[in-house]
Amino acid sequence: MSEDRIIYLDNAATTLPNKDVVALYCELETKIFGNSNSIHKLGINSLNYLNKARESILSSFGVKNYKVYFTSSSTEANNLAIKGYCYKYSNRGKRIITSNIEHPSVLETFKALETEGFDVIYLPVNKDGIIEIESLKNVMNDETILISLMAVNNEIGSINPIKQIAEVVHKYPKANLHVDTTQAIGKIPFNYNDADMFVISGHKIHGLKGCGALIAKQNISFMPLINGGGQEEGFRSGTVAVAHACALAKALKIEMSKKNDISSLHYYLINELKNISGVELNSPENSSKYIVNFSLTEKKASVVVEALSNKGIFVSSVSACNSKKEPLSLTVKNIGKNDILAHNTIRVSLDDENTLEEIKIFISELKKILESIK
């Protein structure tokens, strides 16, 4: 393999920005630079671009009667959806529900609300990393105001049955369903109308870092987490980055129009990993084809990830949002695996641009590294 060749298999952490998206951003950042709140022509022109970006995003998702609120990331969008909603509607009830394998931007937000007097329920997941519908039914009550669950788990790729979850949630008039769709967009068939609120992160779909959005039904309101000039209908103050918003809309449109099928890559990777001694798969059978997670039973994952990196092959150990703080994967732990396996996870996250040749090289180099490590 050429020394300057890169095999990038960490797309769940971030993606390479699309050149057309970057070009659009650069053009708009210098040409459409007026403040969209200004009443002069430059401001009105910026506002028109901003409104078109909102319309494009709603069209890409195929939803009506929703609104788009631009944020800096899906982390901020999740915080606004959860905290902003709970603060606004706390007079209706204090029970809020999530699972024990959510992204930190959801789990940590729920933990914060728990210290503020909210009745937080952390649903367990089964061995396939999804919640059981009966377990949700058992904890729903008339005081429940919010359920927040991810569509696709960012570590093992498990897919929650959001349609069935929504049917349960919407039997309770006070309750709304927030879905962290960060890893679902463009990856799995999904009816976004099932969610009352959902989110998008630009850099996960070949867009730019620093842009995201919360999409919520028009009848839902929030207590703002950022106070100021009242932008984004007062829910998210701060001058809106028009170029970022338009770049996000373009990245989404491209992502949602993809027609590539990576199933063959996924199954090749799975089958090869099954035949390697000292490897145990963590991703369930019916998971996202874009994420494959496995544990090493005899070697240290961090050492293997570093060795792969030295060969120009990039994968991750644990989640990028956790890796610097906590070496143990709570997701793998909570699907029933032991501490050894939870400490030694490797995640391969694919993209439509990855090739079979790249996967073959990865498998070959992985085998060599495992054999060479004492």
Side-chain angles (χ1 to χ4, degrees):
M1 183 173 63
S2 170
E3 289 185 2
D4 59 356
R5 178 170 182 174
I6 289 177
I7 296 179
Y8 186 71
L9 303 173
D10 196 20
N11 291 280
T14 196
T15 56
L16 177 68
N18 181 287
K19 291 181 180 179
D20 290 339
V21 172
V22 175
L24 176 66
Y25 171 81
C26 292
E27 178 186 359
L28 296 185
E29 187 69 359
T30 54
K31 291 184 178 179
I32 314 299
F33 62 88
N35 189 318
S36 58
N37 268 26
S38 298
I39 59 173
H40 51 60
K41 286 184 178 180
L42 284 177
I44 293 170
N45 194 25
S46 290
L47 181 61
N48 288 336
Y49 271 84
L50 198 58
N51 288 336
K52 287 178 182 177
R54 294 187 207 277
E55 292 170 6
S56 176
I57 288 172
L58 295 177
S59 174
S60 291
F61 283 126
V63 295
K64 295 180 179 180
N65 301 318
Y66 285 74
K67 289 187 176 182
V68 177
Y69 304 104
F70 290 109
T71 63
S72 63
S73 61
S74 58
T75 288
E76 185 191 343
N78 282 334
N79 271 260
L80 178 57
I82 298 166
K83 279 186 178 178
Y85 176 91
C86 287
Y87 292 156
K88 182 70 177 182
Y89 297 108
S90 60
N91 63 320
R92 296 181 179 180
K94 286 294 186 78
R95 173 159 290 193
I96 56 178
I97 301 167
T98 189
S99 85
N100 61 2
I101 65 165
E102 297 299 307
H103 187 272
S105 64
V106 171
L107 269 181
E108 295 302 318
T109 304
F110 269 79
K111 289 177 183 177
L113 289 171
E114 193 171 13
T115 67
E116 298 178 30
F118 283 88
D119 175 23
V120 179
I121 305 294
Y122 300 96
L123 290 173
V125 294
N126 63 21
K127 63 180 179 60
D128 291 327
I130 62 176
I131 71 155
E132 302 281 2
I133 296 298
E134 285 304 313
S135 69
L136 175 61
K137 289 180 179 179
N138 291 338
V139 296
M140 293 289 297
N141 64 23
D142 291 336
E143 297 299 309
T144 304
I145 60 170
L146 180 68
I147 295 83
S148 178
L149 295 164
M150 59 188 2
V152 174
N153 181 268
N154 58 302
E155 287 192 53
I156 63 172
S158 54
I159 303 173
N160 266 318
I162 297 298
K163 182 176 178 60
Q164 293 94 316
I165 290 167
E167 290 171 355
V168 173
V169 172
H170 293 147
K171 290 178 180 178
Y172 293 80
K174 293 180 182 178
N176 276 306
L177 175 63
H178 164 254
V179 181
D180 181 354
T181 46
T182 305
Q183 297 290 346
I185 296 169
K187 306 292 193 302
I188 64 168
F190 190 81
N191 185 351
Y192 293 89
N193 291 281
D194 289 332
D196 301 300
M197 299 175 276
F198 59 94
V199 302
I200 178 173
S201 174
H203 76 103
K204 305 290 189 181
I205 56 168
H206 299 283
L208 305 175
K209 296 174 182 67
C211 60
L214 168 63
I215 298 90
K217 286 186 175 176
Q218 291 179 357
N219 63 339
I220 293 177
S221 186
F222 304 94
M223 190 77 75
L225 305 184
I226 300 173
N227 299 107
Q231 289 87 352
E232 298 301 274
E233 298 192 18
F235 301 145
R236 203 275 186 181
S237 290
T239 302
V240 182
V242 176
H244 260 130
C246 293
L248 179 65
K250 185 174 183 66
L252 177 63
K253 188 173 183 179
I254 294 171
E255 188 76 6
M256 297 295 272
S257 64
K258 291 186 313 185
K259 300 190 183 302
N260 294 351
D261 184 0
I262 67 161
S263 296
S264 59
L265 294 186
H266 171 87
Y267 290 119
Y268 178 86
L269 176 59
I270 290 287
N271 290 330
E272 289 294 317
L273 289 171
K274 284 180 179 178
N275 293 321
I276 300 177
S277 177
V279 167
E280 181 170 325
L281 286 170
N282 297 318
S283 292
E285 186 174 347
N286 296 316
S287 61
S288 166
K289 300 297 182 289
Y290 289 83
I291 296 176
V292 175
N293 189 295
F294 61 93
S295 289
L296 302 178
T297 60
E298 300 167 4
K299 311 295 183 182
K300 197 169 182 179
S302 59
V303 174
V304 173
V305 169
E306 183 180 358
L308 286 166
S309 176
N310 290 335
K311 292 181 176 292
I313 302 171
F314 301 96
V315 298
S316 62
S317 178
V318 196
S319 163
C321 297
N322 275 333
S323 58
K324 298 293 177 62
K325 300 188 302 180
E326 177 57 67
L328 182 140
S329 167
L330 290 177
T331 295
V332 173
K333 176 78 172 172
N334 285 327
I335 62 172
K337 302 298 179 80
N338 62 39
D339 283 359
I340 294 175
L341 296 176
H343 274 289
N344 283 290
T345 65
I346 292 178
R347 180 185 66 184
V348 177
S349 45
L350 304 172
D351 181 69
D352 297 82
E353 299 301 317
N354 288 130
T355 65
L356 181 58
E357 180 189 5
E358 289 178 330
I359 303 304
K360 287 181 176 179
I361 293 172
F362 162 70
I363 291 293
S364 175
E365 295 297 335
L366 176 64
K367 288 178 179 178
K368 292 177 185 176
I369 290 167
L370 291 175
E371 290 172 1
S372 66
I373 295 175
K374 303 299 182 183

